[in-house]
Amino acid sequence: MVGADVCSLDKDLRFRQSSFVKQPPVIQTPVLAPIKKKRWKFIWLLLAFGILLVMALTFALRKKEPAISVQTEKISRQTITETVVANGKIYPVLQVHISPEVSGEITKLPVKEGQFVHKGDLLLTINPDVYIAGLNQAKAGYESSLAAKTTAVANLEKAEADFKRNKELSDHKLLSDSDFIGFKVARDVAEANVESASDQVNVAKAAVDNAQDLLDKTTIVSPLDGTITTLNSQLGERVLGTVQNAGTDIMIISDLSQMEARVDIGEMDIVLLQAGQKATLEVDSFKDEKFSGVVTAVANSSEGLNATSTAGGYSGGSLSSSSGQSATQFQVRIHFTQGDQFRPGMSVSATIETRTRTNAIAAPIASVTTRIVKSMIGLGVAKTNFVSTNAIASAGGDTNSLKTDKKTEDRNKPVDVVFVVEGDHVKTVPVKIGISDDNYWEITEGLKEGDEIVTGGFHAISRDLDEGKKIVKGSGGAEIAKSQP
């Protein structure tokens, strides 16, 4: 019992004392009061209120977001002609460089630059004295060979007569065989001498013809009807022949009645060109006129290809070439079908029609831009242009995952899009484009006739517009206008 006296010491009364000890009271642990949850409820309510407030402000700001002012146009069908523009010079279709085949001094030069000459007219004469002497020498050699042939024929006749006479004696056993063989050999030698003399006559005759030809080449006449557009040599100058050398370029004769433009086309466009395509040409000297033409020739190799191949080589283990110093160009010739007042060397600009599409779905050039379409973005794939060796090794040699990453990366690339108007907002529509002219793109996939698309302004299409953006149709003044309530 609590509070009762308990005899806990000296039970046997050995000390004649009894000790009664009171049991100590039991100390009870105080019970803590429960934590009040009202404070946490208040914090949660405050946090929820803040979130709702932020959402309300965001919604309010979106409602007040200004609409973008745009210009629109409905898709229609057009005839689109793709063109390639190039610059070049005007040249005669036919021009001849006059170079002598023999060397010597010009003794006659009856023409001048700019003069019109007919076919067969005398252009110049080279001093013929040396070639006359050569011809006389060749003729003397020819006469000598004829005399040698006559002597050989006479010797043959004598040897033939001796052979026949001694053959009869040999047949009657009146001449020894050794003597008869001597006469037979003499006849055979005489026949060989006649053949040799005949060949010498032919050689001498060829020398005479060659000397005569060289003498004739000292006189140069015009090979065509044309105008002397370039005269590089003067009377009294010595010129070098082309027999064993490059020769001196004395003059150029051109037929100015037929002219052509020679323009340079880049390697990206040359594959689109072929003979027979129409072209429009503008000559700087005739600013207000346009001339028609037709492509007559397209080069099969680039300009300076042989020089580049010669200059290229290996240096320090790598290929070195001069081709990187300039863009690759191909020459294209365009014949003028009208106009005969041009002069060689005039500057010309050519617009060549390469491909044409009739009744094609067309969109204005300014309406097509690029965007990354959100529906095509891959899931959690980092965009990179490099796949390391460690990545392949970590994949255990399995390239399927790498191919998947590559496909996803391709989907993240910007694509050609137009913005189609749907009510007061726009929809981003990916399109496939074909050829183009100065005003329109051919749309091969993504749009249909009658669709209303955004065509301006430039800043709106290139930057501001995106999927679901609100728009207002304007006249093109301000790019952005506030939306009306």
Side-chain angles (χ1 to χ4, degrees):
M1 178 179 290
V2 178
D5 295 336
V6 179
C7 183
S8 59
L9 298 175
D10 200 9
K11 290 183 179 181
D12 298 333
L13 298 177
R14 186 175 298 173
F15 300 100
R16 301 296 181 183
Q17 291 182 357
S18 62
S19 298
F20 295 93
V21 180
K22 292 182 179 182
Q23 185 176 357
V26 178
I27 299 175
Q28 297 183 354
T29 304
V31 180
L32 297 176
I35 300 174
K36 296 180 180 181
K37 297 183 179 181
K38 293 183 179 181
R39 181 185 302 173
W40 291 105
K41 290 182 180 180
F42 176 75
I43 293 175
W44 283 111
L45 289 175
L46 184 62
L47 183 60
F49 177 76
I51 293 174
L52 292 175
L53 181 61
V54 170
M55 293 176 63
L57 290 175
T58 303
F59 181 75
L61 290 175
R62 285 186 178 180
K63 288 190 66 177
K64 294 182 179 181
E65 181 181 358
I68 301 174
S69 178
V70 297
Q71 296 84 51
T72 63
E73 180 179 325
K74 288 190 176 182
I75 291 295
S76 61
R77 295 185 179 272
Q78 304 284 342
T79 297
I80 302 175
T81 300
E82 186 179 53
T83 59
V84 173
V85 179
N87 299 319
K89 299 288 185 181
I90 295 178
Y91 294 90
V93 174
L94 179 62
Q95 61 178 6
V96 179
H97 292 253
I98 303 299
S99 298
E101 295 186 63
V102 294
S103 301
E105 179 185 350
I106 298 177
T107 56
K108 291 182 180 179
L109 188 63
V111 296
K112 58 183 179 180
E113 187 170 342
Q115 179 180 339
F116 183 84
V117 293
H118 295 280
K119 184 177 181 179
D121 288 350
L122 177 66
L123 298 179
L124 70 138
T125 300
I126 297 173
N127 189 353
D129 294 344
V130 175
Y131 303 99
I132 292 175
L135 177 61
N136 292 335
Q137 183 179 0
K139 287 181 178 180
Y142 176 67
E143 296 295 336
S144 176
S145 65
L146 288 177
K149 181 180 179 180
T150 302
T151 302
V153 171
N155 291 334
L156 176 61
E157 291 175 355
K158 179 179 181 299
E160 186 69 27
D162 292 342
F163 173 76
K164 289 180 179 181
R165 184 175 61 255
N166 287 281
K167 187 176 185 300
E168 293 178 359
L169 294 175
S170 177
D171 292 341
H172 293 83
K173 304 299 182 179
L174 298 176
L175 184 68
S176 63
D177 292 340
S178 60
D179 291 339
F180 174 73
I181 292 175
F183 286 107
K184 183 177 181 298
V185 171
R187 187 199 64 171
D188 293 341
V189 170
E191 289 178 350
N193 288 335
V194 171
E195 292 181 0
S196 177
S198 298
D199 292 337
Q200 291 298 323
V201 170
N202 293 333
V203 171
K205 183 63 170 62
V208 171
D209 294 340
N210 182 61
Q212 183 65 54
D213 183 61
L214 292 177
L215 179 60
D216 294 341
K217 289 177 179 177
T218 59
T219 301
I220 301 177
V221 297
S222 176
L224 75 159
D225 294 342
T227 303
I228 300 176
T229 53
T230 304
L231 182 61
N232 298 320
S233 300
Q234 301 298 326
L235 184 66
E237 289 186 9
R238 293 190 62 85
V239 293
L240 188 62
T242 59
V243 176
Q244 296 178 347
N245 303 281
T248 303
D249 193 8
I250 297 177
M251 65 182 71
I252 300 176
I253 301 177
S254 305
D255 181 7
L256 301 183
S257 62
Q258 298 184 24
M259 306 295 285
E260 67 180 6
R262 299 178 187 177
V263 298
D264 294 330
I265 304 293
E267 59 183 321
M268 299 299 294
D269 296 324
I270 194 64
V271 295
L272 304 174
L273 301 184
Q274 59 185 359
Q277 292 175 334
K278 296 181 180 180
T280 301
L281 301 109
E282 298 181 23
V283 183
D284 292 351
S285 302
F286 304 91
K287 296 182 179 179
D288 298 330
E289 296 185 51
K290 292 185 178 181
F291 305 92
S292 59
V294 60
V295 176
T296 57
V298 179
N300 292 319
S301 60
S302 62
E303 296 180 352
L305 178 61
N306 294 333
T308 300
S309 300
T310 303
Y314 283 93
S315 175
S318 60
L319 180 65
S320 62
S321 174
S322 60
S323 60
Q325 299 178 1
S326 60
T328 303
Q329 300 287 333
F330 294 80
Q331 188 181 86
V332 175
R333 299 191 178 193
I334 305 171
H335 178 65
F336 282 89
T337 57
Q338 64 178 121
D340 58 354
Q341 65 272 46
F342 309 114
R343 296 185 180 182
M346 286 184 173
S347 299
V348 62
S349 176
T351 302
I352 306 170
E353 299 177 3
T354 57
R355 294 180 290 183
T356 301
R357 299 285 189 272
T358 58
N359 201 31
I361 298 292
I365 291 286
S367 65
V368 181
T369 185
T370 57
R371 290 289 191 278
I372 297 178
V373 181
K374 295 180 179 179
S375 60
M376 298 175 62
I377 296 179
L379 300 176
V381 179
K383 186 174 181 180
T384 176
N385 293 326
F386 174 74
V387 179
S388 65
T389 306
N390 294 333
I392 298 176
S394 61
D398 184 9
T399 59
N400 292 330
S401 60
L402 299 178
K403 291 180 180 179
T404 304
D405 293 347
K406 182 63 178 178
K407 291 180 180 179
T408 307
E409 176 187 343
D410 293 339
R411 293 172 184 169
N412 290 339
K413 292 181 179 179
V415 296
D416 295 316
V417 299
V418 297
F419 297 103
V420 178
V421 177
E422 292 185 350
D424 62 347
H425 64 280
V426 294
K427 179 181 178 181
T428 304
V429 177
V431 295
K432 289 185 178 181
I433 58 176
I435 67 173
S436 66
D437 58 13
D438 293 338
N439 300 313
Y440 291 95
W441 275 109
E442 177 195 13
I443 304 299
T444 60
E445 185 178 330
L447 295 177
K448 62 181 182 297
E449 187 176 2
D451 287 345
E452 187 177 7
I453 63 172
V454 176
T455 59
F458 172 77
H459 193 275
I461 294 177
S462 61
R463 293 187 179 183
D464 297 335
L465 288 179
D466 210 338
E467 177 73 20
K469 286 282 187 176
K470 195 172 183 180
I471 61 170
V472 59
K473 298 178 183 179
S475 60
E479 288 284 329
I480 298 179
K482 292 185 177 179
S483 60
Q484 298 179 357

